[in-house]
Amino acid sequence: MSPTRPSARDGRSTMARIQAMLYRHRWVRWLAAGGAAVAVVITLRESPTDPAPPPTVTAPPGPAGLLPPGTRGVLIPVTSGVFSTQDRVDVHAVLDGAAVVRGALIVDAADGEVVVAVPDEQVDATVDALATGGVMLVLVPQSAQAGGE
């Protein structure tokens, strides 16, 4: 007589039973592989691999952003350092001394040049005076600024 065949549950560990089930039933393997793939996708979606973009640096507005409406900025070379931003000046033609612009606002002053806010209709006259002999800037006193506005 032959010895009796041991039953499937005798002497096997839990891990051996799981391996036997995975081998015999292919759909369980496919299910396990699909679950692992879903877990990987969820993990990768939650942890970004790209570094965060650096914050954008915004530059302060240039002279063009400081011009009042209805004006244009005209760059005028100066030899004096007494002019500063927010000063009001009269622009006079050197050739004949006539006032081209009165009470113009200086929006930028640096490196021997100033940007003067000239009304649109007086830009051509100011540029013509600069080209034909130059201009002279005359500071307008604070009391005249307050009274004229």
Side-chain angles (χ1 to χ4, degrees), residues 52-140:
T56 55
V57 178
T58 56
L66 302 173
L67 289 172
T71 62
R72 303 290 172 121
V74 177
L75 184 69
I76 299 176
V78 294
T79 55
S80 175
V82 300
F83 301 105
S84 63
T85 58
Q86 302 301 317
D87 281 345
R88 295 278 178 172
V89 293
D90 290 339
V91 181
H92 290 268
V94 172
L95 194 61
D96 60 1
V100 181
V101 181
R102 293 202 180 267
L105 176 70
I106 295 178
V107 293
D108 189 30
D111 300 326
E113 297 173 330
V114 295
V115 176
V116 178
V118 175
D120 288 337
E121 61 275 357
Q122 294 173 316
V123 170
D124 290 337
T126 305
V127 172
D128 185 47
L130 276 167
T132 58
V135 294
M136 180 175 290
L137 300 179
V138 179
L139 281 170
V140 175

Side-chain angles (χ1 to χ4, degrees), residues 3-102:
T4 61
R5 184 173 173 204
S7 70
R9 295 185 189 231
D10 292 341
R12 283 192 180 174
S13 68
T14 305
M15 187 56 107
R17 277 188 248 146
I18 291 173
Q19 287 176 342
M21 182 188 66
L22 289 177
Y23 180 75
R24 288 184 187 141
H25 305 287
R26 288 185 183 155
W27 64 271
V28 175
R29 286 187 286 179
W30 283 101
L31 185 64
V38 168
V40 168
V41 168
I42 290 172
T43 303
L44 290 177
R45 186 173 288 170
E46 290 175 357
S47 61
T49 57
D50 295 334
T56 55
V57 178
T58 56
L66 302 173
L67 289 172
T71 62
R72 303 290 172 121
V74 177
L75 184 69
I76 299 176
V78 294
T79 55
S80 175
V82 300
F83 301 105
S84 63
T85 58
Q86 302 301 317
D87 281 345
R88 295 278 178 172
V89 293
D90 290 339
V91 181
H92 290 268
V94 172
L95 194 61
D96 60 1
V100 181
V101 181
R102 293 202 180 267

